[in-house]
Amino acid sequence: MRLWQRGFGAHPFSGCLAGVADLNRDGKPEVFVAGYTWQTDFGGLAVLAGATGRVIATSPGPDSVPVSHVSVGCADVDGDGRLELAAAVSGRKAEVLLYRLGEKGLALVARRTLSQTTDPAVACECRLHGICDLDGDGKCELVVSRCHKRLMCPDLMLYPSMYDSCGPSVLGASLENRQDIPLPARCQSVTLGDVMPGGNIEMLVVTDRLTLYSTEAD
């Protein structure tokens, strides 16, 4: 039985990611949705009432321009007892944004630009892989990856691309940079876990091979 359905605008090669959380602590769960496109030229972030699908708040982009919110996560990032939405944005800039749901909608509380370009043939990509306490200090870190993608062919059905400026980054609760790991190839995925017993969380990074990283100093 279908309970509700919601669309977010027609666009070719589009997709969305969704999660559920009580963002405003009213005892009623909300659904948060990040919209994106393969061309990174359309999308946004929306919060819906879980029971009805009614749109509570939307954020078309940090500069009031629709941009691809390619991934989103939810956590009490700064430890103040309130949940934040962390969104990774791709387009002319690769950015990480922190939003909080309030009475007036989604408020942007922190913003970090990882890279940007003025070349129309290049897209800056960014993806959020996880939010957790990596080093056991009681504070959350955000694990993201970034890269630059240059199309080698204008035919989007073929979609061959070249990548550079690749690698994961670790950001603090205010999106300050904690660690950058340069990579020669695009980061396909990052898995977080206590691989080396001891309490700290390690990062399993997949490129054309699998590599284990720690946030501890060398």
Side-chain angles (χ1 to χ4, degrees):
M1 179 178 64
R2 177 184 295 174
L3 298 179
W4 54 261
Q5 186 177 59
R6 174 68 61 181
F8 296 97
H11 194 283
F13 310 112
S14 63
C16 67
L17 297 171
V20 178
D22 184 2
L23 296 174
N24 54 9
R25 299 186 295 179
D26 64 353
K28 302 176 182 178
E30 286 80 38
V31 175
F32 53 91
V33 185
Y36 63 91
T37 61
W38 294 356
Q39 298 97 325
T40 65
D41 60 353
F42 180 83
L45 185 65
V47 178
L48 316 178
T52 65
R54 177 179 61 88
V55 177
I56 298 173
T58 60
S59 178
D63 301 305
S64 298
V65 177
V67 291
S68 282
H69 288 59
V70 295
S71 51
V72 64
C74 179
D76 180 7
V77 175
D78 54 10
D80 66 351
R82 296 180 293 176
L83 294 176
E84 286 80 36
L85 287 174
V89 172
S90 297
R92 296 278 73 82
K93 296 180 180 180
E95 293 191 302
V96 180
L97 311 170
L98 275 183
Y99 293 98
R100 186 176 292 130
L101 180 64
E103 295 182 358
K104 297 183 179 180
L106 284 171
L108 183 63
V109 296
R111 179 178 186 177
R112 177 81 180 190
T113 300
L114 301 179
S115 66
Q116 55 187 322
T117 182
T118 58
D119 187 339
V122 174
C124 299
E125 292 195 344
C126 181
R127 187 172 299 276
L128 174 68
H129 295 280
I131 306 172
C132 68
D133 183 1
L134 288 174
D135 52 11
D137 65 353
K139 300 178 182 179
C140 281
E141 285 82 34
L142 287 76
V143 178
V144 300
S145 63
R146 78 283 174 193
C147 66
H148 287 176
K149 179 178 71 176
R150 179 181 293 274
L151 290 177
M152 299 171 61
C153 174
D155 188 345
L156 292 177
M157 298 303 294
L158 298 175
Y159 218 70
S161 304
M162 294 180 63
Y163 294 91
D164 60 34
S165 305
C166 307
S169 295
V170 177
L171 307 179
S174 300
L175 302 187
E176 73 277 11
N177 189 68
R178 294 281 186 86
Q179 187 174 6
D180 284 322
I181 303 174
L183 296 176
R186 182 190 184 196
C187 178
Q188 303 288 344
S189 67
V190 179
T191 300
L192 306 177
D194 188 4
V195 180
M196 305 291 291
N200 289 351
I201 303 298
E202 286 77 40
M203 299 183 293
L204 281 164
V205 177
V206 178
T207 54
D208 57 348
R209 62 203 66 191
L210 180 64
T211 309
L212 180 66
Y213 293 95
S214 170
T215 57
E216 294 180 343
D218 295 335

